[in-house]
């Protein structure tokens, strides 16, 4: 009969075979989730060691680190023959912006107010500007109500203004706060949810996440080996990040009663904390050695996914 460790190892290998992570994207996941709470700095050789069991070889990682630096995600520095990497200031802003979606999710409270972005036909925007605006609004979760009209129930107007500023078109679009007048006989915006967002496809992604990662729960009940725990946490968070960063983050009031995203988030939180303590042991052993910029874990990390369970906090105190 297989041990919990061998079962966990087999499942990790199966996940890597069926859905191998891209080196550059996985690197961002590890830097944001595992390393940022420890100061965010790591020697390249240690990063290679952490990622090798996840199917990322040295050549792929070196190429990815170079590209992430060129794209403004990372900054690097040399110390003799060694290179050290950390998130840049811009990378920190991007990571912090994404963290709310990853660890917290949409707020359960919603007062019925929508943020609208309206791009008039006469605004003089070129096709490239409109295309990029549509792309960035979609990333923030906005749905298209009509040509040139985008809506979201919870994203703040300041976020929309920031997108327009980045694109250099702050005066080419209207940003409005609105409530529909369905009580007066009008069509409620909520009636267009299925038309504006592909919830069926997103629900399928959540169900696949549950099917792929649900079996890990049994293997994680016994304390896993540190390296296996780290691999589990990394793959789990990476898959979850890929789903939720493309999800519209709609409040529960606008979702079906049996929405699988709720069960998927609860599963992700349970597995994350089940692997957390042992994963930290492996991280400390690899990333913390000979690294004077490696810091004790930030207490803020324990607030992820609604807060660490009592047994995790008790283990940390011990």
């Amino acid at each position: 009969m297989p041990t919990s460790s061998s079962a966990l190892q087999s499942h990790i290998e199966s996940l890597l075979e069926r859905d191998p992570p891209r080196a550059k994207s996985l690197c961002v996941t590890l830097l944001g989730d595992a390393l940022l709470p420890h100061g965010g700095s790591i020697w390249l050789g240690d990063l290679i060691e952490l990622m090798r069991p996840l199917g990322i070889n040295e050549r792929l990682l070196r190429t990815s680190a170079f590209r992430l630096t060129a794209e403004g995600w990372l900054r690097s520095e040399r110390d003799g023959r060694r290179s050290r990497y950390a998130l840049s200031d811009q990378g920190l802003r991007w990571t912090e912006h994404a963290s709310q979606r990853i660890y917290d999710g949409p707020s359960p409270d919603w007062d019925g107010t929508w943020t609208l972005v309206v791009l008039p036909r006469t605004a003089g925007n070129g096709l490239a500007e409109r295309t990029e605006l549509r792309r960035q609004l979609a990333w923030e979760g906005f749905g298209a109500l009509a040509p040139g009209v985008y809506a979201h129930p919870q994203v703040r107007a300041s976020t929309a203004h920031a997108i327009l500023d980045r694109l250099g078109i702050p005066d080419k679009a209207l940003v409005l706060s609105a409530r529909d007048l369905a009580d007066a006989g009008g069509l409620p915006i909520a009636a267009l949810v299925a038309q504006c967002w592909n919830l069926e496809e997103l629900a399928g992604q959540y169900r696949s996440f549950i099917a792929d990662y649900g079996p890990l729960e049994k293997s994680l009940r016994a304390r896993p080996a540190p390296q296996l725990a780290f691999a589990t946490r990394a793959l789990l968070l990476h898959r979850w990040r890929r789903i939720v960063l493309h999800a519209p983050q709609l409040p529960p009031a606008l979702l079906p009663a049996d929405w699988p995203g709720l069960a998927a988030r609860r599963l992700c939180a349970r597995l994350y904390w089940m692997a957390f303590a042992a994963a930290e042991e492996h991280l400390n052993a690899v990333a913390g050695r000979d690294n004077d910029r490696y810091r004790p874990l930030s207490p803020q990390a324990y607030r992820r996914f609604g807060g660490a369970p009592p047994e995790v906090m008790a283990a940390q105190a011990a």
Side-chain angles (χ1 to χ4, degrees):
M1 185 173 181
T3 65
S4 58
S5 291
S6 62
L8 185 57
Q9 178 68 55
S10 295
H11 203 96
I12 290 172
E13 291 172 358
S14 177
L15 289 171
L16 288 171
E17 182 178 351
R18 285 184 283 124
D19 186 23
R22 293 173 57 241
K24 191 168 76 166
S25 181
L26 182 59
C27 187
V28 171
T29 297
L30 289 186
L31 285 162
D33 177 69
L35 292 164
L36 185 57
H38 288 283
S41 179
I42 187 170
W43 295 112
L44 178 60
D46 294 337
L47 186 58
I48 291 170
E49 183 175 341
L50 287 176
M51 295 186 69
R52 188 178 291 116
L54 301 171
I56 308 300
N57 62 38
E58 180 176 346
R59 180 184 60 81
L60 283 174
L61 184 55
R62 286 183 179 275
T63 301
S64 298
F66 176 81
R67 289 176 178 172
L68 287 168
T69 303
E71 292 170 7
W73 271 97
L74 303 182
R75 53 182 174 81
S76 65
E77 61 181 69
R78 300 282 298 182
D79 186 346
R81 300 180 62 183
R82 297 197 297 175
S83 297
R84 181 157 32 195
Y85 283 87
L87 288 166
S88 66
D89 291 342
Q90 182 63 65
L92 285 171
R93 287 191 290 271
W94 287 333
T95 299
E96 290 168 358
H97 184 59
S99 291
Q100 189 278 329
R101 294 192 189 193
I102 295 169
Y103 302 111
D104 301 329
S107 171
D109 302 320
W110 179 52
D111 64 0
T113 302
W114 294 77
T115 296
L116 303 182
V117 178
V118 181
L119 197 62
R121 292 179 180 273
T122 58
N125 301 304
L127 178 61
E129 289 174 327
R130 286 177 175 269
T131 299
E132 183 60 17
L133 175 61
R134 183 169 59 248
R135 188 189 71 80
Q136 293 202 27
L137 288 174
W139 192 90
E140 289 292 345
F142 280 81
L145 291 180
V149 181
Y150 307 92
H152 197 283
Q154 287 190 319
V155 173
R156 295 180 178 179
S158 59
T159 299
H161 282 298
I163 292 173
L164 294 169
D165 287 341
R166 284 199 304 269
L167 295 177
I169 52 172
D171 57 345
K172 299 293 181 65
L174 302 174
V175 179
L176 309 172
S177 180
R179 299 175 66 93
D180 60 49
L181 302 177
D183 292 342
L187 176 69
I189 299 178
L192 302 179
V193 166
Q195 173 184 313
C196 297
W197 293 277
N198 191 344
L199 295 185
E200 184 175 348
E201 178 182 344
L202 181 58
Q205 293 179 27
Y206 283 128
R207 293 190 185 99
S208 293
F209 177 85
I210 292 171
D212 288 344
Y213 284 86
L216 290 174
E217 195 161 6
K218 182 178 180 180
S219 300
L220 288 172
R221 288 189 184 124
R223 183 178 174 85
Q227 184 171 325
L228 287 179
F230 184 82
T232 300
R233 172 179 162 186
L235 291 178
L236 172 79
L237 208 283
H238 185 60
R239 174 77 170 274
W240 181 248
R241 172 178 169 268
R242 286 164 51 203
I243 296 173
V244 297
L245 290 187
H246 293 90
Q249 301 290 303
L250 299 178
L254 296 177
L255 296 169
D258 58 348
W259 181 241
L262 301 177
R265 181 172 286 278
R266 290 193 294 268
L267 172 66
C268 187
R270 287 197 305 275
L271 297 178
Y272 186 84
W273 291 121
M274 290 173 80
F276 189 84
E280 283 293 303
E281 287 184 19
H282 183 63
L283 185 65
N284 290 337
V286 176
R289 66 190 174 202
D290 191 27
N291 185 353
D292 58 357
R293 298 186 189 176
Y294 190 81
R295 301 288 180 261
L297 183 69
S298 168
Q300 188 172 358
Y302 290 108
R303 300 173 191 162
R304 293 169 171 175
F305 291 109
E311 58 270 23
V312 173
M313 297 305 298
Q316 171 64 16

